[in-house]
Amino acid sequence: MSFSSETKEELSRRIGTARHCKIAEMAAIISICGHFLTDERENLSLRLQTENAAVSRKYFTLLRKTFNINTSISIAKNPYLKKGSVYTILIQEHEEALRILEAVKLIRQEEDGLVFQDTVSPVVVQKDCCKRAFIRGAFLASGSISDPEKFYHFEIVCQTPEKAQQLRDIIATFSIDAKIVSRKKSYVVYVKEGAQIVELLGIMEANVALMNLENIRILKDMRNSVNRKVNCEAANINKTVNAAVKQCEDIRFIERTIGLKELSEGLEEIARLRLQYPEASLKELGTMLNPQVGKSGVNHRLRKLSAIAQELKGSKEELL
């Protein structure tokens, strides 16, 4: 089971105690994946669809606990996938469908008849607990989370820009910076920052998924930290080796041209030590000198040897 499916499985078992929170969650579900149908007599019906069995059970439970409506779930094969099914809940009674849609503020009665709302009334999501329930319902209806082992990505797909804007605004009340992007004929509300996805899981009360994601984030951060240190150490080693090779080349050039005995006592001593211990660090070379010299002193002498080599090379080129 994917991380996204596990999260939905957990959230499908989360049923709020307050009726206003259940209504807010149903409002998000119906707004995003509900379909309103009317026949020739203007009788209203409501259809909810999902490809997740756990989510369909959640819809069923919310309808029963919030509106005392008992209905059935029909199952059909998904025509677009070789595997998988589509779960449909159909409310065919006009009065029941109307009662639900009026409760979630997605329909209103006017003189000309029924008027459907594209977005949920702010009255439904006045309280923070209702906003949490709304986000949870929206995620169950059309949300997904990528495998956090690979990358961080949380998204909820909406059919209209108005629905996406409303969802983003509700998420923003929890100081989470969600973005909206157009994808084909849909509008996707998404978050890519790992820490904010953790916060969203907490807001939706997916506590198990939250802990799992946090554990993965900690391990990834540790691995990244170790990799950075290893890469840094490798770069330092390469730099040290390249410098030592250059120093040995310069010293051998001096030895071939004027001889090391022509150098001062201190330079001759460090030159012979470098040739004898090409892999030694500056600190190690300094401890071999008598008296001992610090890293900066060793580096100064080696730089002096390099300068002498460059002068000799320049003189040689002039003679040629």
Side-chain angles (χ1 to χ4, degrees):
M1 188 181 291
S2 68
F3 185 81
S4 188
S5 296
E6 289 175 355
T7 304
K8 287 192 175 185
E9 181 75 33
E10 180 184 357
L11 291 176
S12 71
R13 297 190 295 270
R14 178 73 177 83
I15 306 293
T17 55
R19 188 173 189 272
H20 50 78
C21 290
K22 294 172 188 172
I23 288 175
E25 190 165 355
M26 278 302 303
I29 291 167
I30 295 170
S31 174
I32 290 177
C33 73
H35 301 275
F36 316 138
L37 308 170
T38 53
D39 60 18
E40 63 278 359
R41 297 180 180 179
E42 295 189 355
N43 287 323
L44 184 66
S45 61
L46 172 64
R47 185 178 70 218
L48 299 172
Q49 283 187 329
T50 178
E51 296 174 4
N52 188 304
V55 173
S56 69
R57 291 195 299 271
K58 177 68 174 285
Y59 295 172
F60 179 87
T61 303
L62 282 173
L63 285 170
R64 181 167 54 83
K65 287 183 175 291
T66 311
F67 302 103
N68 197 27
I69 292 174
N70 286 307
T71 184
S72 59
I73 302 174
S74 62
I75 306 173
K77 290 295 181 183
N78 192 324
Y80 302 104
L81 298 173
K82 292 182 180 179
K83 296 182 180 180
S85 302
V86 175
Y87 302 86
T88 303
I89 295 175
L90 183 61
I91 311 298
Q92 291 182 303
E93 292 293 329
H94 172 81
E95 293 302 326
E96 290 183 344
L98 182 61
R99 181 157 59 93
I100 294 168
L101 292 173
E102 285 181 335
V104 299
K105 307 299 182 188
L106 283 170
I107 198 172
R108 68 177 188 272
Q109 292 270 13
E110 291 193 354
E111 293 182 0
D112 297 336
L114 297 174
V115 177
F116 295 96
Q117 303 287 111
D118 191 50
T119 58
V120 175
S121 169
V123 174
V124 176
V125 287
Q126 280 184 320
K127 299 182 177 181
D128 281 350
C129 57
C130 294
K131 291 173 183 175
R132 292 172 183 271
F134 187 91
I135 296 169
R136 180 168 60 244
F139 176 76
L140 284 169
S142 64
S144 64
I145 305 179
S146 64
D147 181 356
E149 291 280 7
K150 298 176 181 176
F151 57 94
Y152 302 124
H153 184 84
F154 173 102
E155 69 173 41
I156 298 173
V157 181
C158 302
Q159 292 81 23
T160 67
E162 291 79 15
K163 291 179 182 180
Q165 183 66 53
Q166 182 180 48
L167 178 59
R168 185 181 70 174
D169 291 346
I170 292 172
I171 292 174
T173 62
F174 295 97
S175 300
I176 294 176
D177 185 23
K179 301 287 195 303
I180 298 175
V181 64
S182 174
R183 184 189 297 164
K184 296 181 179 179
K185 295 182 179 180
S186 301
Y187 298 85
V188 181
V189 180
Y190 70 93
V191 175
K192 285 184 172 291
E193 212 278 311
Q196 293 206 328
I197 294 175
V198 168
E199 288 185 41
L200 270 171
L201 291 174
I203 289 165
M204 296 189 298
E205 298 179 277
N207 299 320
V208 175
L210 184 154
M211 292 304 298
N212 290 338
L213 179 53
E214 277 287 55
N215 289 336
I216 291 170
R217 287 183 69 224
I218 290 168
L219 289 174
K220 286 178 73 173
D221 288 344
M222 288 177 62
R223 283 198 295 265
N224 291 337
S225 178
V226 169
N227 287 337
R228 283 194 296 270
K229 288 180 180 178
V230 169
N231 292 336
C232 184
E233 289 176 3
N236 287 337
I237 290 171
N238 288 334
K239 184 178 178 181
T240 301
V241 169
N242 291 335
V245 169
K246 177 66 167 55
Q247 290 158 6
C248 289
E249 289 176 353
D250 288 340
I251 292 167
R252 290 193 182 97
F253 182 80
I254 294 171
E255 187 177 32
R256 290 195 304 270
T257 52
I258 62 173
L260 298 182
K261 289 185 178 181
E262 294 298 318
L263 299 171
S264 65
E265 183 180 346
L267 291 180
E268 181 184 0
E269 184 181 12
I270 196 65
R272 295 190 184 280
L273 279 174
R274 172 49 87 197
L275 291 177
Q276 186 176 357
Y277 303 102
E279 75 289 349
S281 66
L282 298 182
K283 184 177 180 180
E284 290 169 338
L285 288 174
T287 59
M288 297 176 193
L289 295 170
N290 189 18
Q292 293 186 3
V293 176
K295 285 174 60 177
S296 60
V298 173
N299 186 51
H300 176 74
R301 294 186 187 186
L302 290 171
R303 288 170 67 89
K304 182 65 177 175
L305 288 170
S306 178
I308 292 171
Q310 292 304 313
E311 289 179 7
L312 291 172
K313 288 177 183 177
S315 300
K316 187 176 181 181
E317 288 175 359
E318 288 178 6
L319 292 173
L320 294 175

